[in-house]
Amino acid sequence: MEQATFGGGCFWCTEAVFQNLKGVQKVVSGYTGGRIANPTYKEVCSGLTGHNEVIQITFDPAVISYEELLEIFWKTHDPTTLNQQGNDVGTQYRSGIYTQNEEQQHLAEAYKQKLTAANAFNGPITTEILPLKVFYPAENYHQNYYNLNGSQPYCQFVVKSKVDKVKTVFGDKLREAV
């Protein structure tokens, strides 16, 4: 198994995008990139800690590659809005790829360069690509959030559209429904 760590806005959205993919063993919501150890959600939301809401994916590279995860990451959020995804605004919602090793760093940077050269977006890509220093799991009530709270208004209006996009665009990569 390998791990990938992505920040694509609210971790509830990002978690829901990746957790039903073939080859993904688990997705954990959490924080990285800040100045204090073991931050709380309230501290991160203050914008004062420097942390980013991220997810850490444990995946089987024999079933789904890091490159495939990158493709899904880039196509399921807006990497051109600095410190913002939709109505979620603040440094904790920045677009980021936090790499586990030099190979991931190279692959992420090459993918970003390819998208930039192709003018794939209507503005410059603001996604930071940095080596992962430390990952702090978020509080338990943030884990598996969409599946447990799908009827909440935020889930219905924001998360569901991302999940639906994955079903439409990447349906061949989804696990069979149980």
Side-chain angles (χ1 to χ4, degrees), residues 61-128:
V63 179
I64 190 165
S65 69
Y66 185 73
E67 293 93 328
E68 289 172 296
L69 295 175
L70 284 171
E71 178 186 12
I72 295 165
F73 168 79
W74 290 111
K75 289 183 178 177
T76 55
H77 82 294
D78 183 352
T80 67
T81 53
L82 184 63
N83 301 327
Q84 178 179 354
Q85 286 298 303
N87 292 328
D88 294 329
V89 179
T91 57
Q92 69 270 27
Y93 301 116
R94 65 190 179 270
S95 176
I97 300 171
Y98 304 95
T99 58
Q100 311 282 326
N101 54 49
E102 287 183 28
E103 180 185 10
Q104 284 187 1
Q105 185 80 21
H106 171 74
L107 291 169
E109 289 173 356
Y111 208 119
K112 181 179 177 179
Q113 289 172 353
K114 182 174 84 171
L115 292 171
T116 299
N119 292 314
F121 297 100
N122 290 328
I125 295 172
T126 62
T127 304
E128 62 184 15

Side-chain angles (χ1 to χ4, degrees), residues 3 28 43 78 89 109 141 143 156:
Q3 291 186 319
V28 177
E43 290 169 331
D78 183 352
V89 179
E109 289 173 356
Y141 69 92
Q143 308 304 329
Q156 284 297 301

Side-chain angles (χ1 to χ4, degrees), residues 6-17 29-30 41 52-55 77 84-86 88 92-94 142 145 154 158-159 162:
F6 299 139
C10 169
F11 50 33
W12 298 341
C13 294
T14 315
E15 175 191 65
V17 162
S29 291
Y41 183 66
N52 192 6
E53 286 191 15
V54 298
I55 56 156
H77 82 294
Q84 178 179 354
Q85 286 298 303
D88 294 329
Q92 69 270 27
Y93 301 116
R94 65 190 179 270
H142 291 296
Y145 193 85
Y154 184 88
V158 180
V159 184
K162 291 180 180 279

Side-chain angles (χ1 to χ4, degrees), residues 130-146:
L130 301 168
L132 179 68
K133 291 183 181 170
V134 64
F135 172 80
Y136 299 105
E139 296 84 345
N140 284 337
Y141 69 92
H142 291 296
Q143 308 304 329
N144 199 28
Y145 193 85
Y146 178 69

